[in-house]
């Protein structure tokens, strides 16, 4: 496992690299942070027309489908953005790897800053959408940080495995967008878990984002609570994946400077 005391000693470097990642992401961009607004809004419009109305996913929902879809898309976008940034973090920081020593895990951690900024911007959109549809958050909203933390842990867990592999096999970064796109349809972003047959639910919730997305929706909207046993499956899967990722990353980081 990483030396967390050493990581704490390098907290200033982590902060500096996080701010640099945010600045680089939006430098020389016409829309800048507005991209965090444009992309989910366009996606929700498409989802509402195609899946909500044409495919009938909106039938039987307790909330308007745009709200339902947006509250699935926000945590998913956070996960996808954090995962993509983490995967490219070590290769992107190769100039630092060969010049100075620092805990290598600082690189994937710092890359999650951009996803966090986008999340905050999209959270404002969620508030505006709920005001538009006159939906009040429930008392369960205080559990929202826990499910966002689960989302961040899932992104970091997958990112640690993939960024370590990406140093040696550069095919990984090309495959990630494909897996992210497929993963969105394997997660309850555009449809409720009730569409999944009961006998497949345990396998379905091995996907860490299944429990995270359901938890986010419930905490904000206060609808029927998710099946906590299956959410627990997602939590356990995330923790196992994260622990394995930390161990694998720590065991391979000493070879990064030679391979990259």
């Amino acid at each position: 496992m990483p030396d967390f005391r050493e990581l704490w000693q390098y907290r200033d470097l982590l902060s500096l690299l996080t701010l640099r990642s945010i600045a680089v992401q939006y430098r020389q961009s016409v829309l800048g942070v507005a991209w965090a607004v444009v992309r989910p809004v366009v996606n929700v419009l498409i989802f509402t027309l195609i899946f909500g109305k044409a495919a009938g996913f909106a039938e039987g929902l307790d909330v308007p489908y745009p709200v339902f879809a947006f509250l699935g898309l926000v945590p998913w976008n956070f996960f996808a953005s954090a995962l993509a940034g983490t995967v490219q973090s070590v290769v992107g920081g190769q100039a630092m790897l060969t010049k100075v020593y620092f805990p290598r895990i600082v690189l994937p951690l710092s890359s999650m800053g951009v996803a966090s900024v986008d999340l905050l911007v999209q959270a404002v959109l969620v508030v505006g959408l709920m005001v538009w549809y006159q939906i009040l958050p429930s008392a369960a909203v205080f559990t929202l940080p826990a499910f966002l933390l689960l989302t961040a842990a899932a992104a970091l867990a997958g990112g640690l495995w993939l960024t370590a592999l990406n140093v040696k096999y550069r095919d990984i970064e090309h495959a990630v967008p494909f897996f992210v796109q497929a993963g969105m349809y394997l997660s309850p972003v555009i449809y409720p878990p009730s569409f999944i047959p009961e006998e497949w639910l345990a396998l379905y919730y091995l996907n860490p984002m299944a429990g995270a997305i359901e938890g986010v929706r419930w905490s904000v909207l206060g609808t029927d609570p998710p099946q906590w046993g299956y959410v627990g499956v997602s939590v356990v899967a995330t923790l196992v994946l994260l622990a394995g990722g930390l161990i694998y990353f720590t065991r391979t980081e000493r070879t990064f400077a030679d391979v990259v």
Side-chain angles (χ1 to χ4, degrees), residues 101-127:
Y101 171 77
F102 60 93
R104 305 318 193 197
I105 198 173
V106 166
L107 292 174
L109 287 175
S110 66
S111 66
M112 301 185 70
V114 176
S116 300
V117 171
D118 291 349
L119 176 65
L120 292 175
V121 174
Q122 293 172 16
V124 176
L125 290 179
V126 170
V127 174

Side-chain angles (χ1 to χ4, degrees), residues 17-32:
L17 291 179
T18 300
L19 293 175
R20 189 191 69 170
S21 298
I22 296 172
V24 168
Q25 177 70 18
Y26 299 112
R27 184 181 300 164
Q28 296 181 332
S29 174
V30 176
L31 294 180

Side-chain angles (χ1 to χ4, degrees), residues 183-194:
M184 187 183 73
Y185 295 106
L186 295 174
S187 303
V189 176
I190 58 177
Y191 56 86
S194 58

Side-chain angles (χ1 to χ4, degrees), residues 7 23 49 53 76 80-81 131 176 180 182 198-199 236 242 251:
L7 180 61
L49 292 174
K53 295 185 176 180
W76 179 260
S81 178
V131 170
V176 166
V180 167
E198 181 69 27
E199 61 270 21
V236 172
L242 180 59
R251 291 187 63 179

Side-chain angles (χ1 to χ4, degrees), residues 19 40-41 61 71 106 111 121 123 133 136 156 191 193 202 216 231 252:
L19 293 175
V41 168
L61 293 179
L71 280 172
V106 166
S111 66
V121 174
Y133 283 101
L136 293 176
L156 181 61
Y191 56 86
V216 167
V231 173
T252 57

Side-chain angles (χ1 to χ4, degrees), residues 118-194:
D118 291 349
L119 176 65
L120 292 175
V121 174
Q122 293 172 16
V124 176
L125 290 179
V126 170
V127 174
L129 198 61
M130 293 180 67
V131 170
W132 177 265
Y133 283 101
Q134 299 180 350
I135 300 175
L136 293 176
S138 68
V141 73
F142 294 106
T143 64
L144 178 61
F147 293 108
L148 293 179
L149 182 61
L150 178 62
T151 304
L156 181 61
L160 288 174
W161 281 99
L162 294 176
T163 193
L165 291 170
N166 189 48
V167 172
K168 189 174 182 180
Y169 307 105
R170 299 301 172 85
D171 294 349
I172 297 295
E173 63 181 273
H174 301 295
V176 166
F178 168 77
F179 288 117
V180 167
Q181 186 67 30
M184 187 183 73
Y185 295 106
L186 295 174
S187 303
V189 176
I190 58 177
Y191 56 86
S194 58

